[in-house]
Amino acid sequence: MSEQAGKHVYRIEGLSCTNCAAKFERNVTELPNVTAAKVNFGAGKISIEGEATLAEIEAAGAFENLKVQEEQDTTVRVVEKESFLKKHSQLLLSLGLIILAMASQLINGEEFILTEGLYILAIVIGGVSLFKEGLTDLFKLNFSMQSLMTIAIIGAALIGEWAEGSIVVILFAISEALERFSMDKARQSIRSLMEIAPKEALIRRNNLEQLLPVSQIEVGDIMIIKPGQKIAMDGQVIKGHSSVNQAAITGESVPVEKQINDEIFAGTLNEEGLLEVEVTKRVNDTTIAKIIHLVEEAQGERAPAQAFVDKFAKYYTPAIMGIAALIVVVPPVFFAGDFQMWLYQGLSLLVVGCPCSLVISTPVSIVSAIGNAAKNGVLVKGGIYLEEIGQLKAIAFDKTGTLTKGTPVVTDFLTTDSTKEDEYFTLIATLEANSQHPLASAILKRADEKALLYQTLTVDDFTSITGKGLQGTIAGTTYFVGSAKLFAAILPENPTINETYQAFQQQGKTVLMLGTAETILAVIAVADELRESSQSVLTQLHEMGIAHTIMLTGDNLTTAQSIGQKVGVTEIKGDLMPEDKLTAIQSLKQTYEKVAMIGDGVNDAPALAASSVGIAMGGAGTDTALETADVALMGDDLQKLPFIVKLSRQTLSIIKQNITFSLAIKLIAVLLVIPGWLTLWIAIIADMGATLLVTLNGLRLMKVKAK
């Protein structure tokens, strides 16, 4: 790669610990033509401002044998896979020498020159890279994990503890390898997202069909997708009909029917029919590309718990070194203690005091949780929002498009003459076909379903009566369609119809009537359908301990109360303007502190922004929702809400467990120093064990499943 100016992002392979990430970041920043560098440990990426070659960047990460690749590099790198023996040859050789040394010790004794020689050789071979980095860090007064280990091993050698020094080296090497494996496992969730979209697609361009790499596909190209194929690009269906499995993007378990004009997402699977799709976005702008980018950014955002741990570790490591120095000096000088014994105790404390498990306790949990959420169709913008969701006490819901489907449907149709149902519905549809009324689409959809020929009728003298309804002449008769206001003069003369109207109103439905100037012929009720999952979601949230649920809607209070009572929210507010929703959220925060708002990401923007966590519905098809909300439910599926609350709470719980466990291990080690029981091998096992246990505990978050 030639040197390039500006900002560049690279992927890093082999980044295993936060200390290594910080060191790599410093090394890259110190490169001659680099002005700034920032490592995203969770995602395994580095952003660089300035000029650098791949060779220079990899050299900066040589201490961890890091491999670097440009973020947008889609070429397949042919890498010779190392065998296990070759990859871990130094570790295995060192381990073999220790086994031989132990055998020699049993036969010849510890003081025998061959025994000591084998232990020394094991330390040198197994710890060469450790000592190189540790000594470099010590000269720079950078008290890293490597520098602490180097001091401990050199100290052990000075007092003749060759066996324990070699065991520290080998266990540290094993710990590093296992830690790297664990972090790779945690990052696998986002890698699996990156691999789901094909790297090429069959494209028709200028009447010629050709297989093209996604980087060469342009907006407007026609993509041909056969049954059983994965879809490479976002687009719009222009020909064909099929069911598409969108689980990878939205978390939906049931395939979705796709017809002409429907949206298609890259990374989804065409299950049945042949589809022709017009490409609407370039490869870097697809929904899956945005999700991956946002998830990786989220994994790099520090959660409050992580910020606390990082700050704590900054003071903790020098404090451990200070305590270790006091242990070495105070007992021999002031209490006539054995210097060699207390030096050994101080060295052991240095090893067990390594902050590795503490520092990695939070990021591994955040990376696992955010990756798992993305795989289940929930996009979380950062660790801070995971923590906020876990602490929620109240959730506010928009009504239209959130608790309801957002598309009105005809629910009831009653006529004064049952033999003329189709005739009267055709009259209503004919008038509504000339209208811009929001409910017209629901009426026309039902007319189409009933195969009524309303398009064949001619309307004369069509008039829209503002705030009341419609008027038009069909076959010489003037008909009216509208609200009760339009029929106010004759409605009292029709008590049965009046009662029906009142009943529908109480159910939260919008009621229209068909009639002439003298009589009412039919009543039609239209309502925004409730989502099938709304009631069960509210029940689950209440069972999970969410103290307060409230519906905030601009719809009239009667309709709001009808919907709210059905789903089971604890409070209902209707007739709200956007600023009223904002005021309601601010009031809720004063009472409950942590409050979420869930809406469509557009109309509810002020309320979403003011809440502790703004959750948008249907992020997969809405760029606004993806970019403005803190959390997006990709599949427009309210059932993901209890899942993300559960996942967030488990994340908080596991972070607390990890921090508590890490600090407890350190405290126990300090207490073991008092009677002189702490040994180097106990120290390294305790440190290695703590690091692995907190990592494995964090990885459990990848297994949390949505119902």
Side-chain angles (χ1 to χ4, degrees):
M1 171 189 139
S2 60
E3 292 186 354
Q4 296 178 358
K7 184 175 180 179
H8 306 281
V9 181
Y10 302 87
R11 297 197 175 279
I12 315 162
E13 289 180 25
L15 200 59
S16 62
C17 70
T18 50
N19 284 333
C20 305
K23 187 171 183 177
F24 179 49
E25 185 174 285
R26 282 195 302 273
N27 289 351
V28 174
T29 306
E30 290 168 4
L31 291 174
N33 298 315
V34 173
T35 54
K38 184 180 180 183
V39 169
N40 179 335
F41 174 68
K45 291 165 68 176
I46 183 168
S47 302
I48 297 173
E49 290 182 21
E51 302 173 352
T53 64
L54 274 177
E56 287 174 326
I57 300 166
E58 286 197 342
F63 66 94
E64 269 279 274
N65 196 27
L66 301 180
K67 300 298 178 190
V68 181
Q69 184 177 5
E70 286 184 85
E71 184 184 36
Q72 303 302 338
D73 186 0
T74 57
T75 58
V76 179
R77 299 176 72 184
V78 180
V79 181
E80 186 183 341
K81 193 172 181 181
E82 289 183 304
S83 67
F84 179 83
L85 290 174
K86 187 177 179 182
K87 191 174 182 180
H88 301 288
S89 56
Q90 280 183 284
L91 174 62
L92 294 170
L93 180 57
S94 183
L95 183 60
L97 289 168
I98 290 172
I99 292 168
L100 288 173
M102 286 179 171
S104 175
Q105 185 175 330
L106 286 172
I107 299 166
N108 304 308
E110 191 173 352
E111 304 297 323
F112 190 63
I113 190 166
L114 177 63
T115 305
E116 289 187 351
L118 287 168
Y119 278 131
I120 292 168
L121 200 55
I123 290 171
V124 171
I125 291 173
V128 62
S129 59
L130 166 65
F131 299 143
K132 183 181 174 184
E133 290 307 315
L135 290 170
T136 304
D137 288 347
L138 279 174
F139 286 130
K140 293 180 180 178
L141 294 179
N142 173 27
F143 301 118
S144 65
M145 176 176 58
Q146 285 87 352
S147 61
L148 292 182
M149 290 294 175
T150 300
I151 293 170
I153 293 163
I154 291 171
L158 290 174
I159 60 176
E161 293 288 348
W162 301 109
E164 298 220 13
S166 65
I167 289 170
V168 167
V169 166
I170 200 75
L171 289 177
F172 177 74
I174 292 170
S175 172
E176 286 271 271
L178 289 172
E179 194 177 330
R180 186 176 291 108
F181 172 78
S182 300
M183 272 313 298
D184 283 344
K185 191 79 175 168
R187 293 188 185 109
Q188 191 58 44
S189 55
I190 188 62
R191 280 192 194 147
S192 64
L193 277 178
M194 293 169 64
E195 291 163 4
I196 63 172
K199 297 293 183 283
E200 56 186 16
L202 183 62
I203 295 295
R204 184 190 298 128
R205 187 187 290 172
N206 300 325
N207 292 321
L208 178 67
E209 291 185 8
Q210 52 191 318
L211 202 62
L212 291 178
V214 289
S215 57
Q216 294 178 21
I217 297 173
E218 301 287 343
V219 172
D221 281 343
I222 305 303
M223 182 168 53
I224 299 164
I225 308 152
K226 297 173 183 177
Q229 284 188 335
K230 277 194 174 179
I231 296 159
M233 306 286 284
D234 281 12
Q236 191 173 45
V237 178
I238 59 170
K239 185 178 180 182
H241 172 272
S242 183
S243 61
V244 174
N245 187 328
Q246 299 188 154
I249 305 292
T250 65
E252 294 167 285
S253 56
V254 179
V256 179
E257 291 297 312
K258 296 291 182 178
Q259 300 177 9
I260 292 173
N261 295 329
D262 283 346
E263 273 190 300
I264 291 280
F265 302 118
T268 57
L269 176 67
N270 179 25
E271 294 200 335
E272 292 175 355
L274 180 70
L275 292 176
E276 291 191 14
V277 174
E278 182 178 344
V279 175
T280 55
K281 294 176 183 175
R282 291 182 61 89
V283 63
N284 293 332
D285 299 323
T286 61
T287 300
I288 187 68
K290 285 183 180 177
I291 292 170
I292 290 166
H293 175 73
L294 291 169
V295 170
E296 288 184 330
E297 291 299 306
Q299 289 176 333
E301 290 292 324
R302 293 186 176 185
Q306 187 176 346
F308 160 75
V309 166
D310 289 346
K311 190 174 182 182
F312 180 82
K314 185 179 176 184
Y315 301 102
Y316 164 84
T317 306
I320 283 289
M321 294 192 73
I323 293 169
L326 289 173
I327 286 169
V328 173
V329 173
V330 172
V333 173
F334 296 101
F335 302 102
D338 179 55
F339 175 74
Q340 187 164 321
M341 177 196 138
W342 288 106
L343 174 60
Y344 181 80
Q345 292 294 299
L347 294 173
S348 300
L349 184 65
L350 272 186
V351 173
V352 82
C354 181
C356 234
S357 61
L358 184 64
V359 173
I360 205 168
S361 62
T362 304
V364 72
S365 303
I366 296 294
V367 169
S368 298
I370 289 176
N372 184 19
K375 285 175 73 176
N376 281 283
V378 182
L379 181 62
V380 182
K381 292 285 192 72
I384 184 170
Y385 304 117
L386 266 179
E387 290 199 22
E388 293 281 0
I389 293 169
Q391 298 169 14
L392 288 177
K393 298 290 190 299
I395 300 179
F397 295 84
D398 177 38
K399 178 183 76 70
T400 306
T402 302
L403 293 172
T404 65
K405 292 180 179 178
T407 51
V409 294
V410 174
T411 57
D412 304 272
F413 182 58
L414 300 174
T415 63
T416 53
D417 185 347
S418 59
T419 64
K420 294 186 176 181
E421 280 192 10
D422 285 354
E423 180 186 332
Y424 290 162
F425 204 103
T426 303
L427 291 171
I428 296 171
T430 303
L431 289 169
E432 289 290 353
N434 292 275
S435 162
Q436 297 299 317
H437 195 277
L439 302 180
S441 59
I443 293 169
L444 296 179
K445 184 179 179 184
R446 174 60 64 87
D448 289 334
E449 288 170 0
K450 292 163 71 75
L452 301 178
L453 303 176
Y454 61 90
Q455 301 97 330
T456 61
L457 297 182
T458 303
V459 181
D460 297 317
D461 303 323
F462 178 82
T463 307
S464 176
I465 307 167
T466 306
K468 292 183 179 181
L470 310 169
Q471 172 187 333
T473 302
I474 302 172
T477 304
T478 300
Y479 295 99
F480 299 86
V481 174
S483 66
K485 293 177 186 176
L486 193 58
F487 298 93
I490 59 173
L491 189 57
E493 301 169 10
N494 296 268
T496 304
I497 288 175
N498 197 12
E499 284 176 21
T500 302
Y501 165 75
Q502 296 294 341
F504 287 157
Q505 283 278 87
Q506 290 300 316
Q507 292 168 22
K509 297 172 181 176
T510 302
V511 186
L512 301 176
M513 299 180 193
L514 168 71
T516 63
E518 297 81 26
T519 184
I520 298 172
L521 302 173
V523 178
I524 187 167
V526 179
D528 186 2
E529 271 191 307
L530 199 62
R531 288 183 188 271
E532 293 84 354
S533 59
S534 294
Q535 191 172 2
S536 66
V537 165
L538 266 296
T539 302
Q540 287 177 62
L541 291 173
H542 290 146
E543 287 172 352
M544 294 171 82
I546 299 295
H548 194 76
T549 53
I550 180 172
M551 185 171 75
L552 306 176
T553 179
D555 213 337
N556 68 78
L557 189 56
T558 304
T559 302
Q561 286 176 334
S562 172
I563 297 292
Q565 286 163 7
K566 283 179 186 172
V567 299
V569 291
T570 50
E571 188 180 355
I572 301 159
K573 286 182 180 287
D575 297 309
L576 300 180
M577 298 295 285
E579 56 268 28
D580 299 325
K581 291 185 180 183
L582 174 62
T583 304
I585 291 292
Q586 290 169 337
S587 174
L588 283 168
K589 285 180 77 174
Q590 289 179 355
T591 308
Y592 297 99
E593 292 186 21
K594 303 294 183 183
V595 178
M597 171 71 190
I598 176 163
D600 59 15
V602 183
N603 301 332
D604 305 306
L608 286 166
S611 60
S612 308
V613 184
I615 304 174
M617 292 288 289
T622 317
D623 287 346
T624 308
L626 276 176
E627 290 166 18
T628 60
D630 305 320
V631 176
L633 307 184
M634 302 302 293
D636 203 23
D637 184 1
L638 206 57
Q639 293 184 80
K640 301 296 182 187
L641 193 54
F643 160 70
I644 194 61
V645 171
K646 174 185 171 186
L647 179 64
S648 301
R649 287 182 177 179
Q650 289 200 19
T651 304
L652 275 178
S653 175
I654 281 176
I655 288 172
K656 287 174 185 173
Q657 289 169 19
N658 285 350
I659 292 172
T660 303
F661 179 71
S662 298
L663 291 176
I665 288 289
K666 314 300 180 189
L667 180 60
I668 291 168
V670 172
L671 295 175
L672 285 176
V673 168
I674 298 170
W677 294 347
L678 186 62
T679 64
L680 274 173
W681 66 269
I682 288 177
I684 187 66
I685 285 175
D687 179 63
M688 181 178 80
T691 302
L692 289 176
L693 282 172
V694 300
T695 303
L696 292 171
N697 199 28
L699 289 176
R700 287 198 300 126
L701 291 164
M702 294 174 69
K703 304 296 182 186
V704 178
K705 289 188 174 136
K707 283 188 179 179

